[in-house]
């Protein structure tokens, strides 16, 4: 077999392959055997029909077609390996010549990973937010904890802001009650914004036994997004009482003996959260700078597949679960269809470029993924998906997605290498040490930037 490669553009090639007819022998034998099992010829036992009889009865062309279909994948794979290509997706194959007993010639056009040059990235500099926790931040955190330990006492007066009311709700659309629009015994804190728009104004001023009607747009259910007439009836009004901020509260709400110890712990927790956010910010900004340094051609078909995948995931899964149509979602987001299209394309381009660049770095830096790193990543992915580690691992294996997870970890390690070489300063001009956060954050950032990420490519290569 002889093959040659013609570069059509940086992400697409044409393979020209010439196969001597003798190399089709195994596939021809397999074709005769397969046809033998499928046909019945009088005078011959099933499976024992001579090749010349098959040629006479069914035509040599049928056999050749079967043999070529069987042989093409192997010849194509051999040509790809000989040329050391990294194909993306399936090729477009065209048989240019087939002469019985002489030769098989074909071409195959396929998108390939572009060859990238990763320049020196040690000069990357980024600025991130400083880790600063104010007394006001601490007080707010303690107040939120205090809210969680509030008690309620029924009162015989009209409901007002901050009260907890027990209510029954009934929704009607076009005068008809909805089967899934009735809820009884709902506990609601006035002013929390956790239920329907307009409900606060409706219940304020009502005493137990009072009711009111208002209109609001339904956020979920069978009539999500539609205007409904809501009847709300108050069965109880309760006043919230917050515990005193003292040592006794600290002992009730935490493992600490004093309020000062509780506040000190709250400050520490807030600092850790801000460091986590700072690390994420650093990863994202370093990645942006890295992508600016590398010219990355994007295969058009891969891009279109990725855009299609992202739209499908949003429209058919995420929005469907929320009971929203795409039009309603865009209305809520304040976006036009054109803006949605442009944003989806930009995100898809970034995801593909991120994967290409980080994969190139993985190869350049000779990075490997060990079992411990893979297990740790799997645990994090399981937690974010709401599944147990065993359930998530089983799903990964069943869907043959272990290579995908390995790729995510490897790309995270590649990004961590770049971050380590970069200069990261906070808004106060201080150098930021990200060593403790770097590996885990980089894996999450690389995964997020490729966005379930470069998913179209992962599927194409699988």
């Amino acid at each position: 077999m002889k093959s040659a490669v013609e570069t059509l553009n940086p992400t697409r090639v044409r393979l020209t392959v010439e196969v001597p007819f003798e190399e089709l022998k195994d596939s021809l034998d397999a074709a005769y055997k397969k046809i033998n099992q499928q046909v019945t010829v009088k005078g011959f036992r099933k499976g024992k029909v001579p090749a010349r009889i098959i040629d006479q009865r069914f035509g040599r062309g049928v056999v050749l077609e079967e043999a070529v279909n069987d042989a093409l994948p192997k010849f194509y794979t051999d040509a790809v390996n000989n040329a050391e290509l990294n194909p993306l997706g399936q090729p477009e194959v065209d048989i240019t010549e087939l002469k019985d007993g002489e030769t098989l010639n074909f071409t195959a056009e396929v998108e390939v990973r572009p060859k990238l040059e990763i320049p020196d990235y040690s000069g990357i500099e980024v600025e991130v937010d400083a880790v600063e926790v104010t007394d006001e931040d601490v007080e707010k955190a303690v107040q939120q904890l205090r809210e969680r330990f509030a008690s309620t006492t029924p009162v015989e007066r009209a409901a007002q802001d901050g009260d907890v009311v027990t209510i029954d709700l009934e929704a009607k659309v076009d005068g008809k009650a909805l089967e899934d629009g009735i809820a009884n015994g709902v506990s609601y804190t006035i002013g929390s914004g956790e239920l329907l728009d307009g409900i606060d104004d409706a219940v304020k001023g009502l005493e137990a036994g009072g009711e009111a009607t208002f209109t609001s747009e339904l956020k979920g259910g069978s009539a999500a997004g539609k205007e409904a007439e809501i009847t709300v009836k108050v069965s109880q009004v309760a006043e919230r009482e917050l515990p005193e901020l003292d040592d006794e509260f600290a002992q009730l709400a935490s493992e600490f003996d004093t309020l000062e110890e509780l506040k000190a712990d709250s400050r520490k927790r807030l600092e850790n959260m801000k460091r986590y956010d700072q690390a994420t910010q650093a990863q994202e900004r370093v990645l942006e700078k890295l992508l600016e340094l590398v010219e990355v051609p994007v295969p058009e078909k891969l891009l279109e597949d990725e855009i299609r995948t992202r739209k499908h995931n949003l429209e058919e899964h995420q929005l469907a679960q929320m009971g929203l149509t795409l039009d309603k979602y865009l209305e809520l987001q304040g976006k036009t269809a054109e803006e949605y299209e442009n944003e989806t394309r930009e995100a898809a381009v970034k995801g593909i470029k991120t994967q290409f660049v980080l994969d190139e770095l993985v190869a350049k830096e000779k990075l490997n993924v060990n079992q411990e790193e893979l297990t740790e990543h799997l645990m994090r992915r399981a937690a974010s998906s709401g599944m147990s580690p065993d359930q998530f691992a089983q799903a990964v294996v069943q869907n043959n997605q272990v290579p995908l997870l390995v790729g995510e970890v490897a790309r995270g390690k590649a990004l961590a290498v770049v971050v380590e070489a970069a200069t990261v300063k906070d808004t106060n001009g201080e150098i930021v040490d990200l060593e403790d956060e770097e590996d885990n954050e980089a894996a999450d950032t690389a995964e997020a930037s490729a966005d379930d990420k470069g998913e179209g490519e992962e599927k194409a290569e699988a």
Side-chain angles (χ1 to χ4, degrees), residues 198-242:
I199 193 168
D200 289 337
D201 290 336
V203 296
K204 277 191 292 187
L206 295 180
E207 297 184 16
E211 67 177 63
T213 300
F214 64 102
T215 59
S216 183
E217 184 179 292
L218 297 177
K219 297 180 180 179
S222 61
K226 293 184 178 180
E227 285 288 327
E229 182 183 83
I230 314 293
T231 299
V232 55
K233 183 174 182 179
V234 176
S235 58
Q236 178 179 279
V237 177
E239 188 175 62
R240 297 176 77 245
E241 297 178 5
L242 298 176

Side-chain angles (χ1 to χ4, degrees), residues 48-98:
K48 299 297 182 179
V49 183
R52 62 181 177 79
I53 300 299
I54 291 177
D55 288 346
Q56 290 172 2
R57 291 291 186 90
F58 306 102
R60 174 72 167 177
V62 173
V63 180
L64 288 175
E65 182 180 359
E66 182 67 38
V68 169
N69 288 340
D70 176 73
L72 273 178
K74 177 184 180 302
F75 293 137
Y76 166 72
T77 300
D78 289 345
V80 165
N81 292 337
N82 290 340
E84 298 182 345
L85 300 175
N86 291 309
L88 302 169
Q90 297 302 313
E92 296 176 8
V93 177
D94 180 26
I95 297 173
T96 55
E97 186 175 25
L98 175 58

Side-chain angles (χ1 to χ4, degrees), residues 191-459:
S192 66
E194 295 174 351
L195 278 178
L196 299 163
D197 293 338
I199 193 168
D200 289 337
D201 290 336
V203 296
K204 277 191 292 187
L206 295 180
E207 297 184 16
E211 67 177 63
T213 300
F214 64 102
T215 59
S216 183
E217 184 179 292
L218 297 177
K219 297 180 180 179
S222 61
K226 293 184 178 180
E227 285 288 327
E229 182 183 83
I230 314 293
T231 299
V232 55
K233 183 174 182 179
V234 176
S235 58
Q236 178 179 279
V237 177
E239 188 175 62
R240 297 176 77 245
E241 297 178 5
L242 298 176
E244 292 294 327
L245 280 179
D246 52 23
D247 293 346
E248 186 176 342
F249 167 70
Q251 294 164 20
L252 170 68
S254 71
E255 70 270 30
F256 302 106
D257 293 327
T258 68
L259 182 61
E260 288 308 309
E261 288 175 322
L262 173 60
K263 288 184 177 182
D265 181 70
S266 295
R267 183 178 295 276
K268 183 178 179 181
R269 288 174 184 271
L270 289 170
E271 287 174 349
N272 288 339
M273 288 172 58
K274 293 200 175 223
R275 285 196 182 92
Y276 185 94
D277 292 341
Q278 186 188 63
T280 300
Q281 192 178 61
Q283 311 290 345
E284 292 171 349
R285 294 183 178 179
V286 167
L287 178 59
E288 292 283 354
K289 292 281 188 180
L290 177 63
L291 294 180
E292 290 173 7
L293 292 176
V294 187
E295 177 147 357
V296 186
V298 176
E300 191 57 37
K301 185 176 184 304
L302 177 63
L303 175 59
E304 295 307 319
D305 287 345
E306 178 67 8
I307 291 172
R308 188 160 45 249
T309 296
R310 288 169 182 263
K311 286 182 176 180
H312 178 80
N313 287 341
L314 174 66
E315 297 171 23
E316 302 300 326
H317 296 294
Q318 298 174 37
L319 296 185
Q321 289 175 1
M322 294 187 289
L324 292 176
T325 63
L326 177 61
D327 289 343
K328 191 61 186 178
Y329 167 76
L330 295 179
E331 180 184 331
L332 293 172
Q333 293 290 313
K335 294 178 183 177
T336 65
E338 183 179 2
E339 288 172 333
Y340 167 63
E341 292 285 342
N342 291 338
E343 288 179 6
T344 303
R345 176 171 288 271
E346 289 173 9
V349 168
K350 182 182 178 183
I352 292 171
K353 285 185 175 182
T354 296
Q355 228 184 51
F356 283 170
V357 170
L358 294 182
D359 283 347
E360 189 72 27
L361 270 169
V362 169
K364 179 180 180 180
E365 301 293 345
K366 297 180 172 60
L367 301 175
N368 296 310
V369 176
N370 60 41
Q371 186 61 47
E372 182 181 352
E373 292 167 332
L374 182 59
T375 300
E376 186 178 343
H377 184 63
L378 186 148
M379 299 281 281
R380 291 203 308 275
R381 286 290 303 273
S384 65
S385 69
M387 301 170 67
S388 72
D390 287 344
Q391 288 174 325
F392 188 80
Q394 186 176 8
V396 166
V397 172
Q398 287 177 345
N399 294 308
N400 298 316
Q401 290 184 327
V402 172
L404 187 148
L405 287 190
V406 171
E408 289 175 357
V409 178
R411 286 189 281 274
K413 294 180 72 172
L415 181 55
V417 169
V418 182
V419 173
E420 185 178 357
T423 299
V424 181
K425 293 183 179 180
D426 66 20
T427 48
N428 294 328
E430 299 292 329
I431 296 291
V432 177
D433 181 8
L434 298 171
E435 185 175 353
D436 291 339
E437 303 285 347
E438 197 168 281
D439 288 344
N440 290 344
E441 283 303 304
D444 292 340
T445 300
E447 176 193 343
S449 296
D451 195 32
D452 333 339
K453 311 337 152 244
E455 183 176 350
E457 184 197 349
E458 293 284 5
K459 291 180 179 177

